[in-house]
Amino acid sequence: MKKTAILHFLPLEYYPPATNMINYLAGESNAETKISAFSTHNTKKRNVFINKRVKIYRTAPAKNNENIIFRLLKYFFFQVSVLLRLIFFCPNKILYYESLSSFPVFLYTKIFNRKTAIFVHYHEYTTPDEYQNRSMKLECLFHKLEQTYIYNKAVWVSHTNKDRLNFFIKDNPSVDKEILKELPNYPPKSWLQKIDLIDRKKSNTPLKCVYVGALSLNDTYIKEFSDWVILQNGKVLFDIFTYNMHQDTDQYLQKLQSSYINFVNTGIEYEKLPLVLSKYHVGIILYKGNTKNYEYNAPNKLFEYLICGLDVWFPDVMKGIIPYIQMKSSPKVISLDFNSLDRFKRENFYENKTKQNYTNMYICDLVFEELKNKLFS
């Protein structure tokens, strides 16, 4: 029996690439493979992620706004609970996400089963200085254990794009280059069936724009873009779907009195995205690139927008999206100065007759295959 354990400390529902991975592995599994996953409960009213082929164990999440003692106890309970279940499950392979999930892997493979193969994936890139300055010092400690033990034993370490992977190599030059992989955040193949069902006739006015994802007045251009939409006086409509935002951002959006902007503060469930996105012309990305992680980010929403046939507008400070710029065919990927949106030429609103089909390019099933083969071998 081939047994795979997946550790993801932060709630799975907040990370579609992780749930896409679990769904894909479950779909590729057979009677000779068994998968268990370990995470925490989500508290943001997301539908609970379930896959009938995977047993998912959860503990209480550590909240940023609660007493530090309670937070530490929840961190401790997750580590101990997962370690005990690993001992009972006895996996051949362990895939964990981010440094926060690494400690049970360290203990299990160091003390109880040295033969277990370790796989590591990072949703984000964290600089050495950021690790040192984390408010939760446990994460810095766990990362030290990764550097001194786990990376030497791991058979796979991946980041979401080449830029982040290159930064990781500079930070950890002793890691075997053969185990380093790029694992982009593409949507699943199942999206294609849903997209094909949509009537996607487009008219040039009004231009329908959409944003899906986390928001912050400090870290995104939500105010700048909203101001610009209002100035277009009905030529541009803007729908916002988010459930993850700072309180001041929520208050700002609630107070917007514009018939051109529609704000949905309950967000939208991931499985419904292809049906909703296909109704728009342009998908908006708003990150300001305040950290190296976001500056060199090619977020999952980029590929989700493109798969659904939307043009994509993104801030020119996001260097991670620059390789995807496409102006000669549709869907377009357009870099803009979000501090000077009034300079954006109106002719860029309109589609080119030449169409680019992204449906066979940005599908996670294709990029997951190598990892699946190693996990199930």
Side-chain angles (χ1 to χ4, degrees), residues 279-293:
K279 300 175 182 178
Y280 294 89
H281 303 113
V282 181
I284 307 298
I285 296 173
L286 294 171
Y287 301 123
K288 288 184 176 180
N290 288 341
T291 65
K292 205 168 190 178
N293 174 59

Side-chain angles (χ1 to χ4, degrees), residues 251-304:
Q251 292 173 348
Y252 163 75
L253 291 171
Q254 295 285 3
K255 291 178 180 178
L256 277 179
Q257 299 296 321
S258 172
S259 59
Y260 312 134
I261 298 176
N262 178 41
F263 168 46
V264 181
N265 65 358
T266 55
I268 184 169
E269 295 294 342
Y270 187 73
E271 61 272 15
K272 296 180 181 179
L273 273 177
L275 296 173
V276 173
L277 291 180
S278 300
K279 300 175 182 178
Y280 294 89
H281 303 113
V282 181
I284 307 298
I285 296 173
L286 294 171
Y287 301 123
K288 288 184 176 180
N290 288 341
T291 65
K292 205 168 190 178
N293 174 59
Y294 279 101
E295 183 181 2
Y296 291 91
N297 185 18
N300 46 305
K301 61 175 63 68
L302 166 66
F303 308 108
E304 292 160 2

Side-chain angles (χ1 to χ4, degrees), residues 43 61-67 70-71 74-75:
T43 59
K63 303 176 184 178
N64 291 331
N65 59 352
E66 66 185 352
N67 184 282
F70 288 113
R71 289 183 65 198
K74 289 176 179 178
Y75 276 99

Side-chain angles (χ1 to χ4, degrees), residues 27 41 64 72 115 122 124 193 213 308 327 337 357 370:
H41 294 285
N64 291 331
L72 288 172
K115 294 182 179 181
Y122 294 99
E124 316 284 354
Q193 297 173 335
C308 293
M327 296 289 291
D337 181 354
N357 185 358
E370 181 182 1

Side-chain angles (χ1 to χ4, degrees), residues 90-127:
C90 196
N92 312 104
K93 314 286 176 65
I94 298 178
L95 166 64
Y96 78 82
Y97 288 78
E98 302 291 347
S99 301
L100 281 173
S101 305
S102 64
F103 192 56
V105 181
F106 165 75
L107 292 177
Y108 178 74
T109 58
K110 181 75 171 177
I111 301 171
F112 299 98
N113 191 344
R114 291 177 177 268
K115 294 182 179 181
T116 300
I118 302 175
F119 297 72
V120 187
H121 179 68
Y122 294 99
H123 293 298
E124 316 284 354
Y125 167 70
T126 304
T127 68

Side-chain angles (χ1 to χ4, degrees), residues 27-49:
E28 296 291 315
S29 64
N30 55 42
E32 297 300 315
T33 57
K34 189 174 182 179
I35 304 171
S36 291
F38 306 87
S39 187
T40 51
H41 294 285
N42 84 78
T43 59
K44 295 183 179 179
K45 299 180 180 180
R46 299 294 89 197
N47 289 345
V48 176
F49 171 72

Side-chain angles (χ1 to χ4, degrees), residues 186-363:
Y186 297 162
K189 187 177 181 179
S190 59
W191 274 37
L192 302 182
Q193 297 173 335
K194 298 178 182 179
I195 294 166
D196 289 341
L197 297 175
I198 296 297
D199 179 6
R200 296 170 56 221
K201 293 180 181 178
K202 297 183 178 181
S203 58
N204 288 323
T205 52
L207 192 74
K208 297 179 181 178
C209 299
V210 63
Y211 176 85
V212 178
L215 280 176
S216 160
L217 287 173
N218 183 59
D219 296 324
T220 69
Y221 288 103
I222 182 60
K223 185 179 185 304
E224 289 83 350
F225 189 72
S226 296
D227 289 344
W228 178 80
V229 168
I230 293 170
L231 288 175
Q232 302 313 302
N233 199 30
K235 293 179 181 179
V236 179
L237 304 179
F238 183 34
D239 287 355
I240 304 164
F241 297 91
T242 183
Y243 65 89
N244 186 11
M245 65 196 131
H246 296 162
Q247 186 175 1
D248 60 343
T249 310
D250 187 19
Q251 292 173 348
Y252 163 75
L253 291 171
Q254 295 285 3
K255 291 178 180 178
L256 277 179
Q257 299 296 321
S258 172
S259 59
Y260 312 134
I261 298 176
N262 178 41
F263 168 46
V264 181
N265 65 358
T266 55
I268 184 169
E269 295 294 342
Y270 187 73
E271 61 272 15
K272 296 180 181 179
L273 273 177
L275 296 173
V276 173
L277 291 180
S278 300
K279 300 175 182 178
Y280 294 89
H281 303 113
V282 181
I284 307 298
I285 296 173
L286 294 171
Y287 301 123
K288 288 184 176 180
N290 288 341
T291 65
K292 205 168 190 178
N293 174 59
Y294 279 101
E295 183 181 2
Y296 291 91
N297 185 18
N300 46 305
K301 61 175 63 68
L302 166 66
F303 308 108
E304 292 160 2
Y305 292 153
L306 289 175
I307 286 293
C308 293
L310 281 68
D311 287 355
V312 178
W313 298 353
F314 74 95
D316 55 9
V317 294
M318 294 190 68
K319 298 177 182 178
I321 306 182
I322 289 175
Y324 299 94
I325 289 177
Q326 171 61 262
M327 296 289 291
K328 295 182 179 180
S329 62
S330 293
K332 299 177 184 177
V333 180
I334 301 174
S335 170
L336 300 175
D337 181 354
F338 273 64
N339 289 311
S340 302
L341 285 170
D342 55 316
R343 299 178 184 175
F344 183 41
K345 296 180 180 179
R346 284 298 175 88
E347 54 264 31
N348 286 323
F349 285 176
Y350 301 100
E351 295 184 338
N352 292 335
K353 293 181 180 179
T354 305
K355 296 288 184 180
Q356 172 69 47
N357 185 358
Y358 289 102
T359 55
N360 294 320
M361 295 173 60
Y362 301 137
I363 296 298

